[in-house]
Amino acid sequence: LSSRNTKTKAVLRELTVLSRELHTKAKLQGAVYRLVIELGKEGEGDKSAQAYWVERAKGNSVIKPNEEEAAMERAKETDEKKRADPRGFELDKSVIKKPRELPSGMRFEKVELTRSKKPIQYGRAYIHFMPQGLVDEAAIHIKGEKTQAWTISIHPLTGKAEVINNAKDLKDITS
């Protein structure tokens, strides 16, 4: 039981530190980074694999709201060529070597972004870190065993992430 608790704390800590690190790295490198959260496929419930990793854009790129939804649809494709991102985002192994899966008993419930009308519950969610220092304002909802729940809130100007020890909607956090 204590080792599971340690793994939970490690994941929450890593996601908060990762947000700040990507904010700084994007400014220093002059590149767009994004934290990718794989929420799994619709209808698979707890059997669906969930993970997170970091990607970096090959060039400077501005993400438009309509492109974001197209990227989420592409992530559902089974053909790898159709899944490829036309802006050239690639896994950045300098930050995280390979995608990290959540420990057993933990799940990403949803990701809320201010630029998205509805919470993302399936597929992939992208949290962008811009070279100008701006970050997508986000709330990452994580469920643990039984009634455990956490929300990681990411501030859009500082990239600072805060762990809240219960489920809290993005609109409640921003107000």
Side-chain angles (χ1 to χ4, degrees):
L1 185 65
S2 65
S3 69
R4 194 176 303 138
N5 191 20
T6 303
K7 288 179 183 177
T8 300
K9 287 180 184 177
V11 167
L12 295 172
R13 188 177 322 109
E14 181 177 47
L15 285 169
T16 56
V17 170
L18 189 58
S19 177
R20 191 70 173 155
E21 181 181 351
L22 290 176
H23 177 259
T24 302
K25 200 169 181 86
K27 290 187 341 186
L28 291 175
Q29 302 286 326
V32 178
Y33 284 84
R34 69 183 181 187
L35 174 61
V36 183
I37 298 174
E38 175 65 57
L39 293 137
K41 295 179 181 166
E42 189 171 2
E44 289 189 6
D46 291 346
K47 297 174 187 167
S48 189
Q50 294 194 330
Y52 59 95
W53 62 91
V54 173
E55 295 179 343
R56 178 185 169 158
K58 288 182 184 174
N60 287 342
S61 126
V62 177
I63 290 90
K64 298 174 187 156
N66 60 338
E67 291 176 339
E68 192 65 28
E69 293 193 14
M72 285 186 240
E73 287 301 314
R74 260 194 325 277
K76 295 175 185 174
E77 290 286 343
T78 54
D79 182 10
E80 202 58 43
K81 288 182 182 177
K82 289 181 181 177
R83 285 181 80 156
D85 192 318
R87 288 189 312 274
F89 276 94
E90 292 181 338
L91 181 67
D92 186 338
K93 294 182 179 180
S94 70
V95 181
I96 296 178
K97 302 281 185 227
K98 61 180 184 173
R100 298 245 172 94
E101 289 188 14
L102 290 182
S104 66
M106 280 184 86
R107 295 202 44 76
F108 290 116
E109 182 181 24
K110 64 183 176 181
V111 176
E112 292 180 284
L113 303 166
T114 51
R115 64 181 155 68
S116 182
K117 293 174 186 149
K118 295 189 289 186
I120 301 160
Q121 296 178 303
Y122 306 103
R124 290 184 181 160
Y126 303 101
I127 301 171
H128 293 90
F129 297 80
M130 305 296 183
Q132 301 85 354
L134 298 175
V135 179
D136 287 333
E137 186 172 26
I140 304 168
H141 298 269
I142 300 173
K143 281 240 181 211
E145 294 176 341
K146 298 179 184 172
T147 59
Q148 292 177 319
W150 302 274
T151 304
I152 298 176
S153 168
I154 300 177
H155 192 276
L157 297 176
T158 63
K160 182 181 178 194
E162 174 187 1
V163 177
I164 301 167
N165 283 324
N166 55 29
K168 197 164 194 177
D169 289 331
L170 185 59
K171 66 180 182 178
D172 295 335
I173 295 169
T174 56
S175 63

